[in-house]
Structures are given as C-alpha cells and as structure tokens.
Amino acid sequence: MNVQSLPMLRYIDHTGAAVEQLPAWADDNTLVKFYRDMVLSRTYDNKAVALQRTGKLGTYPSHLGAEAFGVAVGHAMHPKDVFIPYYRDMPAMWVRGIPMEKNLQYWGGDERGSDFAPIDGIASRDLPFCVPIATQCTHAVGVATALKIEGNHQVALVTCGDGATSKGDFLESINCAGAWNLPLVFVINNNQWAISVPRALQCAADFLSEKAKGAGIHGTTVDGNDVVAVHDCVLSALDRARKGKGPTLIEAVSYRLSDHTTADDASRYRSEDELQQAWEYEPVKRLKNYLTDRGLWSSQQDSDWLAECKQLVEQAVDNYVSLAPQAPESAFDYLYESSPAELNAQRDELIQKAMRMQGGHRG
C-alpha cells in the first residue's frame, strides 16, 4: 500500500501542485527560505556521508528525505522554547541556530558538539542529540513540567522516529503528558523503517497518531514531505500548548531515502522498486516545483544557491577539521559535579602518560 494515498493533511502534492489553499503565513518569501534551507540541509548531508566514507567522521545517520520535517519544525518554534531532538535532526537544529560544525563534532566523537553557545544573545536550552531510542521522550516530559512550573508560556517539542513509538518510554511519556496537561509537542518522523523493520510490522493501526487517543491528547497525521503541512500543524500544536490546551502528537509521514546509518545496508531488506517510488514523493523537488511553477524560483537561482551551499558546508568542514583536540583528561571533567577520589587518581595517571608520549611536556 502506498502510504501517501492515506488521508492526511496536505497542501502541496508530490507534483508541486497546491491541493488546498495555503495558510496565510505561507507567503512567497517564507517558502523560498524554506526551500533554501532544505537544499542546504541536503548539501550538508551529502558531504557528511562522504566524510564518514573517507574516515573523517564516525557512523552518521543521514536525514535524506527528512528535510521538510526538520526545516518545518525548526522554524515553527520560538527561540525560548526547548527542542529535544533525536539523532536525525540536524536540519531542525541548524534552523534553531546550531552551527553545522557542531553536528560534525558530535558525529566525529567530540562531545563539544553538544555544547551550544548562546544564539543571538539568547542562551539555548535545547538538548543535544539523543541516540538511545525514545528515551528523549521521557526527558521532554521533565522539561515540559519545568516549563509549566515556570509559567512563561514556553513549550517543549520532542521528535522521534516511527520505531520509537513502539517503546515503553514513548507510551509512558505521552500518557504522562496527557495526565499532567503539559506544554509538550511530540512529532514523529514516520519514515517507514525502524532500521530494517517496516512500518507494517511495527503497529497494526493505520496511523501512529492514533496512539494519542489512549493518552487523551490531540493527535494528527500530516504529509511529512510537504513542508507547508508540517509547519502549519506544528504551529497549531505549539499554540495549543502555549495556551494551556495540552500536548499534541503529530505523525509526519515521510520516507527514509538513505540507509539507516552509514553502518547499514538498506538494500538487504527493502526493494529498489520501493525506494524509487519513494523518490517520486521526496520533499525538496516537491517544493522546488511549486516555486518554479509560480515564477518564484529559477534554474539560475538554483545553481547559484547550490554553489553557495557547497561553500557554506566546506567552511563548516574546515572549522571542524581545524579544531584542536581536547586534552585526554577532559574525558573525566564533566561526569560528576564533584569528582570521586579514585577518578582523580586515574585522571592524574592519564596526564602523566600523555606527557610521556609528548616528550615530557604539554603544549
């Protein structure tokens, strides 16, 4: 079954044609910006995969096919809202103001990639990537509870994949969010595959958003390849939460056009025909067709922007590879508020070993 044939919120179909009147916020300039951000996200993704293949990055989870999802979510949130991402969320984090080189640091094994400096003078409270499946949903409940206590009408938004919705962490989190009426939005990137497990084997319901009913919260399904639909739905959910009307569960139906990570080979469990069909619905071409059909974007603009994207990405890569490594003992420095004595001894031992390897001195 083609999941795109199921009823769901959609403004722009896979050909780039508007099938509903677009929301008032979706003016020409906004949609062009969304498209530019999506192209930049894809350009970055291609480079990150290449870096991993050449040994300059660790295992990397591509977000190919999820550009609309990330850009829509990132632009919908207020600066002082709190974003709790999962591991495939570079586009949303970049839109939120996290530099690309931070993402490279993280997947390169440098924990400084999770240290976010103030953005535009505002201290970011966004959380770093979460690799364990669905545990970030429980963290989001805690964050949303704190925001409710503070009473500043700020909202927490947490993302996850379709596989995470089968975990107890997810189900417990939506239940708690509903019972406590928290200012929390759950957004599922339903990309049809939990590594090698297809969506059809994960849940018998037509829609993952139906899980919201058991938690007593609002649930809806949108076309995750339509950046307008995703953004509009997230805006509405954030507004509901900000006004004290409780949490929302959004299912964005997309497709993972890449392997699960660079350590995976998706050709072993899905057909080439299925993948090629999914490419017909991908989000970047969809929005490009919409813009070009209306004279809002041209081939020359596309070429110029792609060249600029490559320059921006290469600059981020240069920033990443030129960053001096941390001292080995830094691995001990951020684990405890007060370091245990036995760890202090191990830390001193590591420093001495590093000094011997460097000829008796530290540069």
Side-chain angles (χ1 to χ4, degrees), residues 24-87:
W25 60 261
D27 57 73
D28 296 347
N29 291 335
T30 297
L31 295 185
V32 168
K33 178 171 178 53
F34 282 9
Y35 176 72
R36 288 162 60 94
D37 288 343
M38 289 164 64
V39 171
L40 178 59
S41 296
R42 183 164 291 186
T43 305
Y44 168 85
D45 192 69
N46 290 335
K47 183 64 176 183
V49 172
L51 290 172
Q52 190 280 330
R53 298 307 191 201
T54 55
K56 296 178 181 178
L57 208 63
T59 299
Y60 171 77
S62 171
H63 53 255
L64 187 65
E67 295 87 359
F69 178 90
V71 169
V73 167
H75 277 298
M77 299 180 68
H78 289 182
K80 291 188 177 181
D81 291 335
V82 181
F83 183 41
I84 302 96
Y86 86 126
Y87 51 83

Side-chain angles (χ1 to χ4, degrees), residues 271-301:
S271 70
E272 182 64 22
D273 288 344
E274 178 180 322
L275 179 60
Q276 290 307 311
Q277 183 186 40
W279 271 103
E280 295 299 314
Y281 295 87
E282 66 100 347
V284 177
K285 181 177 67 175
R286 177 183 305 207
L287 185 56
K288 178 182 178 181
N289 288 345
Y290 176 86
L291 295 173
T292 54
D293 287 348
R294 284 154 182 78
L296 302 173
W297 194 253
S298 68
S299 297
Q300 186 61 53
Q301 285 175 296

Side-chain angles (χ1 to χ4, degrees), residues 84 130 133 137 158 209 230 232-233 260 285 297 354:
I84 302 96
C130 184
I133 306 302
C137 297
V158 60
S209 60
V230 179
D232 195 61
C233 192
H260 175 67
K285 181 177 67 175
W297 194 253

Side-chain angles (χ1 to χ4, degrees), residues 28 32 83-85 106 116 152 165 197 224 229 236 264 305 319 328 339 359:
D28 296 347
V32 168
F83 183 41
I84 302 96
Y106 183 90
F116 306 149
N152 293 324
T165 66
V197 180
S236 297
D264 175 44
W305 177 238
N319 294 342
S339 182

Side-chain angles (χ1 to χ4, degrees), residues 106-122:
Y106 183 90
W107 296 113
D110 190 332
E111 288 298 335
R112 287 175 292 181
S114 298
D115 181 15
F116 306 149
I119 301 166
D120 294 333
I122 300 174

Side-chain angles (χ1 to χ4, degrees), residues 19 79 94 96 105 116 122 137 149 158 167 174 190 215 247 276 346 361:
V19 294
W94 182 82
R96 294 278 290 161
Q105 282 179 260
F116 306 149
I122 300 174
C137 297
I149 292 170
V158 60
K167 294 289 295 294
I174 63 173
N190 178 6
Q276 290 307 311
Q346 293 179 34
H361 67 278

